[in-house]
């Protein structure tokens, strides 16, 4: 069976919320057994050596697990979901050399130090949302393309360097404790999600040369200073729910005017000012959508006419 289909299938599954009786559940936390593994196995595929077949997908969501030592013998697993358990030690995964996709959302992992990720050289997608991570020190992912660390306590981005994450295309850090974007050196990154942090300044974005999506909703930005002309691929920018109050705070957006197609500025004080759309479209004449409204050909023509009129009014007398 095609591995891309399997990845899509598993990635579409949504984890459910933690049980209301969480403390009672922890009292009943238990180690993984072979019977539990058998219940969660699916997708029979040819093994990596092409000499036999094995189940490669394992779903262990909501099993109240606090120990997964037994999993180390199941070396053919490629797709693994451990969400909604009580795990803090993932070292038994070191023997799963063929692992491609790993989801460990809503567990108790506090650090990547001492975890087995250096052994998982084929891992392409990792999701560790809603754990207790303060940083990403110790995490390496030479083949990692998608990383989801939503809802942790990460405060800085300096560990995200191209030497450790050269293949990374999508990075999700929504709902952490970031105050700046400084520290990212990921020239291949295409999608960056930083909503629901405490970001006050845009810094260090000049190295994100392949970025197409930048999501910064619900932060504390007062200006878009920090956008870079090196961001030649940026098509979508969301800064909804920030603190941008005046048009001059948008001046730096002109640096990405040639590529930007969609901009979301709603729920900023600026939106309530007169001529809001006109001032934005003056900076971004090629924009296709502003907030939820597409830019119509009529609006674009009217905007260009108003710009010409203003230029004529400001032109010096001959």
């Amino acid at each position: 069976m095609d591995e891309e289909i399997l990845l899509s299938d598993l990635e579409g599954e949504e984890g459910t919320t933690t049980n209301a009786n969480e403390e009672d559940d922890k009292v009943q936390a238990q180690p993984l057994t072979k019977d539990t593994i058998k219940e969660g196995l699916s997708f029979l595929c040819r093994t990596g050596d092409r000499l036999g077949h094995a189940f490669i997908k394992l779903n262990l969501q909501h099993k109240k697990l606090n120990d997964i030592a037994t999993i180390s013998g199941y070396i053919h697993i490629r797709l693994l979901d451990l969400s909604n358990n009580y795990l803090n030690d993932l070292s038994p995964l070191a023997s799963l050399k063929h692992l491609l996709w790993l989801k460990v959302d809503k567990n108790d992992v506090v650090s990547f130090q001492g975890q087995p990720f250096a052994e998982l050289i084929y891992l392409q997608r990792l999701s560790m949302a809603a754990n207790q991570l303060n940083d990403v020190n110790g995490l390496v992912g030479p083949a990692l393309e998608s990383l989801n660390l939503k809802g942790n306590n990460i405060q800085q981005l300096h560990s995200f360097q191209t030497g450790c994450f050269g293949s990374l295309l999508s990075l999700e850090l929504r709902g952490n404790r970031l105050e700046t974007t400084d520290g990212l050196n990921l020239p291949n990154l295409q999608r960056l999600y930083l909503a629901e942090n405490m970001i006050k300044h845009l810094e260090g974005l000049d190295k994100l040369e392949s970025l197409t999506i930048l999501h910064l909703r619900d932060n504390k930005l007062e200006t878009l200073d920090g956008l870079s002309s090196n961001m030649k691929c940026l098509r979508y920018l969301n800064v909804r729910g920030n603190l941008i109050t005046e048009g001059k705070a948008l001046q730096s957006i002109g640096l990405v005017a040639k590529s930007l197609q969609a901009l979301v500025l709603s729920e900023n004080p600026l939106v309530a000012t007169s001529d809001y759309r006109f001032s934005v479209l003056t900076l971004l004449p090629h924009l296709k959508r502003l907030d939820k409204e597409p830019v119509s050909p009529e609006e674009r023509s009217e905007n260009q006419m108003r710009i010409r009129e203003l230029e004529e009014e400001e032109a010096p007398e001959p």
Side-chain angles (χ1 to χ4, degrees):
M1 185 172 291
D2 191 283
E3 290 177 3
E4 285 299 318
I5 295 175
L6 296 180
L7 287 167
S8 300
D9 174 78
L10 233 169
E11 191 173 33
E13 296 178 3
E14 295 292 336
T16 56
T17 55
T18 308
N19 293 336
N21 253 342
E22 184 173 340
E23 291 305 316
D24 291 342
D25 286 346
K26 284 194 175 183
V27 173
Q28 304 170 32
Q30 56 194 9
L32 182 61
T33 66
K34 290 185 177 181
D35 287 340
T36 303
I37 290 177
K38 289 178 182 178
E39 293 172 2
L41 286 170
S42 60
F43 286 123
L44 188 66
C45 288
R46 191 182 297 274
T47 56
D49 58 13
R50 303 291 178 180
L51 299 178
H53 289 78
F55 289 106
I56 66 164
K57 178 179 176 182
L58 178 56
N59 190 330
L60 295 173
Q61 294 186 68
H62 295 284
K63 300 299 182 183
K64 302 179 183 177
L65 301 174
N66 60 2
D67 184 336
I68 54 170
T70 307
I71 204 171
S72 61
Y74 292 79
I75 62 173
H76 299 294
I77 298 299
R78 300 181 202 170
L79 313 170
L80 175 61
D81 195 337
L82 291 164
S83 299
N84 295 88
N85 287 291
Y86 307 113
L87 301 171
N88 54 41
D89 179 16
L90 305 177
S91 58
L93 301 182
S95 62
L96 277 60
K97 305 292 186 183
H98 300 286
L99 203 60
L100 299 175
W101 189 99
L102 176 61
K103 190 173 183 181
V104 198
D105 295 352
K106 297 182 181 177
N107 276 274
D108 296 326
V109 180
V110 299
S111 175
F112 286 109
Q113 301 285 0
Q115 304 292 0
F117 292 99
E119 307 294 324
L120 306 178
I121 60 174
Y122 300 113
L123 190 65
Q124 297 174 11
R125 305 188 186 189
L126 173 63
S127 181
M128 296 190 65
N131 277 268
Q132 301 177 39
L133 297 163
N134 294 314
D135 55 52
V136 295
N137 296 334
L139 177 62
V140 293
L144 204 60
E145 296 180 0
S146 175
L147 176 60
N148 181 358
L149 298 174
K150 174 182 175 181
N152 281 281
N153 298 304
I154 296 168
Q155 300 179 43
Q156 60 179 355
L157 301 171
H158 291 285
S159 296
F160 289 103
Q161 302 297 312
T162 187
C164 297
F165 301 101
S167 300
L168 196 62
L169 302 178
S170 178
L171 177 58
E172 166 68 91
L173 285 161
R174 188 182 323 180
N176 278 273
R177 299 173 60 190
L178 299 168
E179 295 186 3
T180 176
T181 56
D182 192 31
L184 291 168
N185 182 10
L186 299 171
N188 295 319
L189 191 70
Q190 296 178 4
R191 300 175 293 278
L192 178 59
Y193 303 95
L194 299 173
E196 300 171 23
N197 279 279
M198 299 177 285
I199 297 172
K200 301 175 183 178
H201 307 288
L202 298 180
E203 301 172 284
L205 299 179
D206 55 303
K207 298 180 180 66
L208 304 181
E209 300 170 5
S210 301
L211 200 68
T212 62
I213 295 174
L214 178 55
H215 200 291
L216 289 156
R217 178 178 176 176
D218 295 332
N219 277 281
K220 299 182 180 299
L221 293 170
E222 297 181 5
T223 174
L224 295 184
D225 291 352
L227 292 175
S228 169
S229 58
N230 289 346
M231 304 169 74
K232 298 176 182 178
C233 298
L234 190 66
R235 297 200 305 266
Y236 175 87
L237 175 62
N238 188 327
V239 287
R240 177 178 177 177
N242 278 270
L243 304 174
I244 301 169
T245 59
E246 52 189 8
K248 65 180 182 181
L250 302 179
Q251 291 300 317
S252 293
I253 208 168
L255 297 172
V256 295
K258 291 183 179 179
S259 62
L260 199 66
Q261 298 180 10
L263 173 65
V264 183
L265 274 165
S266 55
E267 297 179 24
N268 279 276
L270 171 68
V271 176
T273 61
S274 60
D275 277 351
Y276 156 63
R277 287 182 69 89
F278 171 70
S279 61
V280 173
L281 292 175
T282 300
L283 292 169
L284 299 170
H286 306 297
L287 199 68
K288 294 183 178 179
R289 182 166 65 84
L290 177 56
D291 300 326
K292 293 183 179 180
E293 299 296 327
V295 179
S296 66
E298 293 77 16
E299 183 179 22
R300 196 182 308 281
S301 297
E302 181 181 347
N303 193 75
Q304 292 171 348
M305 185 179 300
R306 290 184 63 184
I307 292 173
R308 286 195 296 270
E309 290 174 353
L310 288 174
E311 289 174 345
E312 291 172 0
E313 290 176 3
E314 294 173 358
E317 292 290 336

